[in-house]
Amino acid sequence: MKKSNRRRFLEITALGGTLAACKTGGKVEEPAPSRLGKPVSAYGERAPFEKAARWTRTTRTPEQASSNTPHQDLNGIVTPSSLHYERHHAGVPRIDPAEHRLLIHGMVERPLIFTMDELHRLPSVSKIYFLECAGNTSSEWPEKTAPDVQQSHGLASCSEWTGVPLSLVLAECGVKPGASWILAEGADPCRMSRSVPLAKCLDDVLLAYGQNGEAIRPEQGYPLRLFVPGWEGNISVKWLRRIKVGDQPTYTRDETSKYTDLMPDGTARQFTFEMEAKSVITYPSGGQKLSGPGFCEVKGVAWSGRGRIERVECSTDGGKTWKDAQLQEPRLRIAFTRFRFPWNWDGSEALLVSRCTDETGYVQPSKEELIAVRGLHSNYHYNGTKVWKVAADGSVSNV
Ligand code: CO
């Protein structure tokens, strides 16, 4: 039984080339007889050998900081809640859900205050959506270079979000004619707040209280966050406590001092909300090392704020030639799509890069194409393709 299993494994490795597993030389250690293991527990934890962790970066103070998802260590399309990226402007508030309230007022017939209990009783939906900080991959504007995919692309994550459609709650309040924007305000110490067009609020915006099956994590806005699918992460206001309906944007500090895009002619784009199509190879990627030539499945993720990912192509020669990658189903709108690309590395220097196309036909630009339009002084909305160099010794670096 054991012998035939081993023979089959060797046949598989022969198909794939020279896998490192052959190096065991046929010697297989029998596991020691097991003793009784740990008892059940009230809340699970991962294996002690697993070390995937967020990479944290302080902007000015420990409370004004960000942390990045370790894409190089993840599989599939759902980011574990504990590894979802963070960006806080004033730290994570501690909020008792029994005390939390959501006020909706302004241009409405009936201003209302909701408790969390009342929100939980309303009709709800669950949707898998990515969330990406507008500043994700800003390290790729040419003067800066991140050493690995976690630092370059880690301000994007994907979760299943559960909550109440904002349209339903706004209908309860009765939006007055002429209203066209809302102001969403958080309960963090800086009262982070953003203006959102009413049309988007009536489309697919959620009042979210669930993430990946459990309550939203405190660092993701517990007990309630606005979730604005496909738009820059900052607008999905966390610790949501107030929505004011109005007929113009509020021009808050958070949308004037930040989250505008400086263009080459000196003007600034404002209210650039949608996150455009983007993809990145997560394995092999910067900082990793291939143990030797042979088969290697190139893996990565792609996403678009405008809908579904229709195609991902991969190149091993820096973009001179392209081949289609395999796309893992399900391919959901505004969610990560996992792609895979079989590659036989011949041991010579290679330049790995992916590019995606979304359902609108938009094709992810190269870094050069992006810079030709956006110039060198921008910070937000970088979605150029990402090249990783595999050196002859197997080491992978950012180029
Ligand atoms: Co923007």
Side-chain angles (χ1 to χ4, degrees), residues 343-358:
W343 180 44
N344 259 306
W345 182 41
D346 63 9
S348 60
E349 187 180 297
L351 295 170
L352 301 180
V353 54
S354 65
R355 80 174 171 206
C356 64
T357 304
D358 72 16

Side-chain angles (χ1 to χ4, degrees), residues 134 194 232 259-261 269 271-275 380-381:
R194 289 293 305 261
E232 56 191 17
Y259 303 106
T260 58
D261 316 321
R269 301 194 307 181
F271 301 128
T272 49
F273 296 129
E274 274 178 332
M275 300 309 291
Y380 302 111
H381 295 280

Side-chain angles (χ1 to χ4, degrees), residues 36-274:
L36 290 178
K38 285 176 72 174
V40 296
S41 56
Y43 196 83
E45 57 184 44
R46 63 179 169 176
F49 308 100
E50 294 299 319
K51 303 295 182 203
R54 289 190 283 229
W55 174 76
T56 60
R57 188 172 71 100
T58 297
T59 309
R60 287 192 185 85
T61 68
E63 294 77 27
Q64 191 182 0
S66 56
S67 71
N68 293 28
T69 291
H71 292 298
Q72 70 280 4
D73 297 322
L74 301 183
N75 307 295
I77 61 170
V78 172
T79 310
S81 300
S82 50
L83 295 174
H84 193 289
Y85 86 85
E86 304 163 277
R87 175 76 176 108
H88 314 313
H89 293 197
V92 179
R94 178 190 161 94
I95 299 175
D96 179 350
E99 304 290 323
H100 192 69
R101 299 288 183 272
L102 173 64
L103 164 67
I104 300 181
H105 67 145
M107 291 176 67
V108 292
E109 304 292 344
R110 293 170 296 280
L112 292 172
I113 293 174
F114 292 88
T115 64
M116 286 308 299
D117 201 42
E118 287 164 342
L119 289 174
H120 279 115
R121 290 181 63 154
L122 295 177
S124 58
V125 295
S126 295
K127 295 273 193 177
I128 295 177
Y129 288 131
F130 80 82
L131 189 69
E132 181 179 20
C133 178
N136 191 32
T137 324
S138 63
S139 59
E140 289 294 315
W141 296 114
E143 63 270 28
K144 296 168 278 179
T145 304
D148 57 41
V149 69
Q150 178 165 20
Q151 291 186 39
S152 64
H153 288 72
L155 291 173
S157 311
C158 187
S159 289
E160 184 196 63
W161 301 96
T162 297
V164 180
L166 177 56
S167 59
L168 190 150
V169 175
L170 287 175
E172 279 305 298
C173 297
V175 173
K176 286 185 175 171
S180 53
W181 288 78
I182 69 157
L183 171 72
E185 180 187 73
D188 51 341
C190 66
R191 304 283 184 250
M192 225 299 298
S193 48
R194 289 293 305 261
S195 305
V196 191
L198 183 64
K200 179 71 171 173
C201 298
L202 297 177
D203 180 14
D204 57 2
V205 175
L206 295 178
L207 300 171
Y209 49 73
Q211 180 186 7
N212 295 333
E214 61 184 353
I216 284 182
R217 295 279 167 122
E219 63 266 32
Q220 294 306 323
Y222 182 87
L224 187 70
R225 85 176 301 167
L226 197 69
F227 196 94
V228 184
W231 287 18
E232 56 191 17
N234 175 259
I235 207 164
S236 285
V237 173
K238 296 183 281 192
W239 315 292
L240 182 69
R241 69 165 203 169
R242 186 166 73 97
I243 286 174
K244 185 176 185 183
V245 180
D247 58 4
Q248 56 187 327
T250 306
Y251 299 105
T252 68
R253 176 190 59 208
D254 300 293
E255 60 199 12
T256 52
S257 72
K258 298 193 248 329
Y259 303 106
T260 58
D261 316 321
L262 192 58
M263 299 296 280
D265 66 359
T267 61
R269 301 194 307 181
Q270 194 169 28
F271 301 128
T272 49
F273 296 129
E274 274 178 332

